Amino acid sequence: MNTEKKVRTRIAPSPSGYLHIGTARTSLFCYLYAKKLKGEFIVRIEDTDKSRTEKKYEDDILDGLEWLGLKYDELYRQSERTDVYVKKLQELVESDKAYISKEKAKDDDVREVEVVRLRNPNTMLTFTDTIRGEITFDTTELGDFVIARSKTDPLYHFAVVVDDALMDITHVIRGDDHISNTPRQILILEACGFERPQYTHLPMILAPDRSKMSKRKGAVAVTEYRAQGFLPSAIINYLALLGWNGGTEKEIYSMEELVQDFSLDHLQKSGAVFDIEKLKWFNKEHRKLIPKESLTRDLKAQLEGNTGILEALERSPKAVEDLLERFSTWAELKEAVATGEYDFYEKLPVLEKDMLAWKKDPNPERMKDRLHKILELIGSVDTTTFTYENVKGAVWAYAETEGKGGVLWPMRVALSGKERSPDPFILAEALGKEETITRLNEAYTLYL
Ligand code: GLU
């Protein structure tokens, strides 16, 4: 018979804010470890502090986990478990591992309260952390610390320990800001006669300046990344590599691959810097894994209302590719569209002679000739097969003999009216033959 205990991990967020990117990473590691070992991943909402918790945050956390694909096997709320804690507290007092102490209330000198204190054995306590190894702590420093404000009002550490034990948590994986809580929690656990879980304290995720991540330094909530249009699979992949590596060069992972490869042995000791550019790169890479049709549909959905761009995308697969290559997120794309970067798909550009000339070439005769020639070459391409390749095929040889910039620059500016835009063949395919000719003619007449 297999006597090994089933692996059970848990994430214990307090619903006092939106799902934090750090909590998401801890959840991911808990999830991966549990799933790898065919165990269970549990969510325990630590909502006992009524003044700090809100239902909307709990909803956001659970919704965010689901969106990321971190499916939990069980869900608990500490606020629904007071009876369990009170019973355990009573047992501790009865066995004299803890005692009731009449004390003056902290907030007022007259009122007396009956707090519960743990009998501290005052020893050197050693525990093993997966990442840091043995950590020894002199518990004398803690004194007989308070574990409940009253016989019916247990404090945080007590609830955590009771929950972890009664929920059969085998591995406590959490942020290393909880290392200092561990000795206190182990003392409670030993007083209760519970078994120790294996502790893994993950180094923090840091802002680029290596300080703590904070709202001032960028988005910290998963929901903000979701709103910007990041794919959950990209966020998962990026978070996995923030503090873990598979021991190879492999960078792109699906959730299934992560489950397969994950282990607690490859966790890094130092804090991991959150790099938004890297996350954007992952987003682009994960987009490539989505079937083209459905990705194009998503792209178009983002551009609803921008008729000209939508028509251009309808005509031109190259224009679709161009947008996907240029923008890592939908938010970036929408921002560019809103600021008019793509208005040449919506309306005729206003042309400036100065801009049309390659390297400000002041020779009007040459410009006139070139535009004339481009018009002639493009005119020969059939309307129904006015594709990127065919337009390029028609103009390319001429551009090479004249010098590419001297031909492609004015062609591109004539079509877009901008110093920066997609290349002229993309523009031509996206605008269609008629519009392309109209715009080139428009440029040509400036030189008549
Ligand atoms: N509620 C704690 C937090 O959100 C987690 C405590 C724990 O994992 O033991 O950081």
Side-chain angles (χ1 to χ4, degrees), residues 287 290-321 323-324 327 329-330 333-334 337 345-346 429-430:
R287 263 199 322 223
I290 299 177
K292 215 173 198 147
E293 256 175 48
S294 106
L295 187 59
T296 306
R297 212 175 316 119
D298 291 348
L299 171 68
K300 287 180 181 164
Q302 296 297 326
L303 293 168
E304 213 187 294
N306 299 282
T307 328
I309 302 188
L310 289 174
E311 280 171 14
L313 299 182
E314 205 57 55
R315 266 191 291 266
S316 170
K318 281 280 182 194
V320 171
E321 265 174 41
L323 286 187
L324 291 173
F327 300 104
T329 64
W330 300 141
L333 164 73
K334 287 208 256 196
V337 170
Y345 285 144
E346 302 289 343
E429 179 178 86

Side-chain angles (χ1 to χ4, degrees), residues 10-16 23 26 44 46 78 156 160 164 172-175 177-178 181 185 201:
R10 73 356 178 230
I11 180 82
S14 47
S16 53
T23 311
T26 308
R44 183 171 74 227
E46 298 198 331
Q78 284 193 327
Y156 170 72
V160 168
D164 283 345
V172 167
I173 301 171
R174 60 187 174 190
D177 49 335
H178 289 286
N181 293 333
Q185 294 181 0
H201 288 95

Side-chain angles (χ1 to χ4, degrees), residues 6-7 31-40 171 259:
K6 180 178 248 184
V7 167
Y31 175 87
L32 293 177
Y33 191 64
K35 294 300 137 184
K36 176 165 180 97
L37 295 168
K38 310 264 178 285
E40 277 141 7
H171 294 74
V259 168

